[in-house]
Amino acid sequence: MAMPGGVAPVVAMRCTNPACGATATGGGGDWRKGWPLRSGGFALLCDKCGLAYEQFVFCDIFHQKESGWRDCSFCGKRLHCGCVASKNSYDLLDSGGVQCVTCMKNSTAHSVTASGQVVPKLFPCQNNLRFFGKSDELLSGRKFEQSPSLMLDPRNEDIAIVNKSNHPFMVKGIEAGQSSSILRQKEIENGARQIKWEQPTLSIGDMGRPFLTRSQSALEPPQYTRRDDNKDPTTDSTTSESISEACLSMSLGIAHNGNRMEATSTVERPILSPTTAIAEGRELTTTLSPFQHAQRARHFLTRPPRVGEGAVFDPTKDIFPHLRVARPPAEGRGRNQLLPRYWPRITDQELQQISGDSNSTIVPLFEKVLSASDAGRIGRLVLPKACAEAYFPPISQPEGRPLTIQDARGKEWHFQFRFWPNNNSRMYVLEGVTPCIQSLQLQAGDTVTFSRIEPGGKLVMGFRKATNTVSLPDSQISAIANGSLLSETLFSTANENLGVADKFGSRPDEGSLQFLQKRSRNIGSKSRRFLMDAEDAMELKLTWEEAQELLRPAPTAKPTIVMIEDYEFEEYDEPPVFAKRSIFTIRATGEQDQWIQCDDCSKWRRLPLTIIVASKWTCTDNSWDPKSCSCSAPEELTPKELQSVLQQYEEMRRRKGSYGLKLNVAEMDASSLDALATAAVFGDVGNQGTASVATTTKHPRHRPGCTCIVCIQPPSGKGPKHNPACTCNVCMTVRRRFKTLMMRKKQRQSEREEAEASKKIAWVNRDEPEGSNLSRSPQTLDTTRDSSDVTMLDKVADMNKGHIDLNFHPAARDDHQGQHGAPQARPPPASMMGLLEVANRPLDNYMKQNGLTSLAGEQAGGSSSTATVPPAPVESEERTSNEVRVASVEREPEAMAVDEAVGDNQQDKGVDDAAVLDSVRA
DNA sequence: CGCTTGCATGGGAAA
DNA sequence: TTCCCATGCAAGCGC
């Protein structure tokens, strides 16, 4: 395209940060989106200046992002962020910063630099004329005298050309391909968003301010003036117009141009590039939310929009019908506008599935992520007040009215729609949802969507299992905010491994999802309103296991010992720190090492156990071993050893992951102690191998290797602080459950005693001398299992299925022994840490080495089992790693049994831990 | 004793 | 500061 004035532009991008001003030609820089420009689009920042966008985070119309406050660039007045945007308490400045309302009145003839320097208004501007950069420099011309530059707004693809006369002018749609490709590449490289710029129906800048530019053409004088100065008098009745209102006027204006009034969003479809709308959805909702249009324009509208006719804003429909984008509800009569987290995210495919082949159309109303109480047995689903009042029949009495809602399969569910008076307000609930929830197998974290079929107005509900999503465009910020996606993101890795599909009404891998949802519940519910950037979400693509591997107690943290149910726990006041992943190994001597990989040469170096290394570590940081403080130094481990260690490490992680994923929710309750059992397993392994991987699930407040109950629970940040006499609900429930279990156990045992009376002799013949179980060495266990062992293992397998067979108890064997000998006194109750001492010698060694209080030792006095257990033998070092691995695999069911058994044991210290261990190790 | 029901409470998001 | 809403909790009820 010929450039105006015949100037051959040099494509260059200039950092909009006045403090930086770096210019890159040809895309050599690394650019990112900066602060929003009042005229739409965003400033352009280079990586050189290192200016994070978050530093300029501001509140948009929907308050999706807040940073608390900003200072007026003129007077320094502190402007509190948030609602001030919609109240027009400040105005955005293209050079960054904001301008308070007072200064706005005085600044019509000014422009301003970010530093607060007031400069005269820059230049007469034609349509779409825009300036990015330091206005003072532009005026002085010192930067642009020598070479004309193009400054590109990454969103707008509008190019401001500055020629020697310092008159920038905008060229739309040209060179954008070249320049935007740079940005596109950078965006993709950064992984922040998968933005596709290929199909700009209009320029991207128009996407960000879809109607502004076009209307500016019609409405604005050819000047670079404040938006507020160019209000459409027919629609702007107030002196303080927000961006959205400006957009409203634009949309209506376009609606007048031939589209139906109702279809404010229909109007947008041909305007918006779907891909861009997705990518820039946040800005889209900021500047031009159809829902906001609907809200604001409600009094203009005479008919509700019809989804099936394309009335509902659906930026993905044309090209990405399968993408899930939060759609603002098409309508709403509620006084309050619907929060984005309730915006339905129904794909067209799902809409099609609901409506079937009929001519009916679906109006997505809202959705809600089920909370624990929603999905619980109580059968009440709390409805967002605004949604209930907007979309459900009005009710005046707390008793409410019956409501029939059809699910996607056509089945009708009858609920009671009612409310409770609550703080001079109402709390709306759907009662009787349990059958529906159970039928659809919904759980906390899943999402229920509510829609309406038109004509007829019948309510329909769909559901969506909490699952992973593909790339996370900004437009789904609202979805992130609603928590489900957060949890989805958090556990996306596991989900991806499972190949979980997200289908409307489908049933993806339920067991795994249950696991994930169970685990994500605590996070999701608490983080429901958390707000993250897509980048943050990317960063959080970790499983809990992975996250915990990176969490360590702060080096300076001193734990305080608290007693809970007679067990000692370490409590750290300081938050955990993120550490580089390391591998702990145990030698045959019991000595443990920490291995860490150099980020430069990838060699593994030995570190002291107590060292916590930050995210990046190289050999040169190895001040503990002068021989290995250089990348040129040879690796201490032989390749074979290294391979063995890494294999075990990966195997451990893999098996641990798959093990967890196989469990259902109920099992997970008990198996949260898997680390304990796994540690026990590998503790044996450690005795058998040359260098074994010491596994642990690290709680952020505890040291590596700690296997106490706190460590093996998610890092909630709040450790148990219950005392033995605690009468809180949890403790009472736990005790009650234990009591029930014990009663059932006794009942079953008495029943089975009769049934098994005929088998006594056979069992007697098979029984071994007292204490044989505990006195066995691990290798004996592996190699000399007799049939009774097999039987026991079968029972262990049953336990692994989630059924805690309380009859399977060494006490039963004792009973058998008692049949042919003197009745034996029941072993004194052992502690969980007694189990640990038996099964986890190396870890205990580790704890001692690290000066940790030996919980096992604390409990050993009262545990006969620990007293009778000989030290785990050290196996020959000739044993290969493969053998070690096999041994660990064989013992995995036992570990799982320990999970269950110990899990129950926690409920009451009186449980016969030693007996459980007997049975597990038998 | 367990379940249901109705209300209270408190954290946190929104205004 | 207001208000939403997830959840706790106690009273009532039925088995």
Side-chain angles (χ1 to χ4, degrees), chain A residues 746-762:
Chain A
K746 289 178 181 176
Q747 183 180 357
R748 291 181 191 174
Q749 194 164 329
S750 61
E751 292 172 356
R752 193 166 292 187
E753 277 176 359
E754 294 182 9
E756 293 181 351
S758 59
K759 304 177 183 176
K760 282 179 183 176
I761 297 177

Side-chain angles (χ1 to χ4, degrees), chain A residues 168-187:
Chain A
F169 43 86
M170 197 67 70
V171 181
K172 293 180 61 62
I174 55 143
E175 288 85 18
Q178 179 185 356
S179 51
S180 66
S181 64
I182 300 167
L183 296 163
R184 174 170 62 246
Q185 182 180 357
K186 287 301 176 186
E187 288 283 359

Side-chain angles (χ1 to χ4, degrees), chain A residues 11 286 354 360 397 427 474 583 601 635 882:
Chain A
V11 176
T286 298
I354 297 175
S360 60
Q397 298 299 317
M427 188 170 178
D474 275 359
I583 297 178
C601 66
E635 211 162 30
N882 193 39

Side-chain angles (χ1 to χ4, degrees), chain A residues 24 266 366 405 445 522 703 793 894:
Chain A
T266 304
F366 66 95
I405 303 179
N522 290 336
R703 298 172 186 238
L793 287 175
E894 303 170 26

Side-chain angles (χ1 to χ4, degrees), chain A residues 26 84 98 181 245 282 327 421 441 474 588 593 601 702 732 741 790 807:
Chain A
V84 291
V98 295
S181 64
E245 283 186 294
R282 186 158 51 132
R327 313 171 197 220
Q441 297 180 302
D474 275 359
D593 299 306
C601 66
H702 290 245
M732 295 301 290
L741 288 173
V790 173
N807 282 321

Side-chain angles (χ1 to χ4, degrees), chain A residues 88-104:
Chain A
N88 204 34
S89 295
Y90 69 69
D91 193 16
L92 299 172
L93 300 173
D94 279 1
S95 53
V98 295
Q99 185 179 18
C100 72
V101 66
T102 305
C103 296
M104 284 162 54

Side-chain angles (χ1 to χ4, degrees), chain A residues 38 45 112 117 123 129 201 210 219 343 522 527 554 586 622 647-648 717 741 843 904:
Chain A
R38 70 179 180 197
L45 297 174
V112 61
Q117 178 185 356
F123 40 79
L129 201 58
T201 308
L219 300 175
W343 289 1
N522 290 336
S527 306
I586 310 168
N622 189 0
Q647 273 184 352
Q648 290 176 61
L741 288 173
L843 283 173
D904 266 353

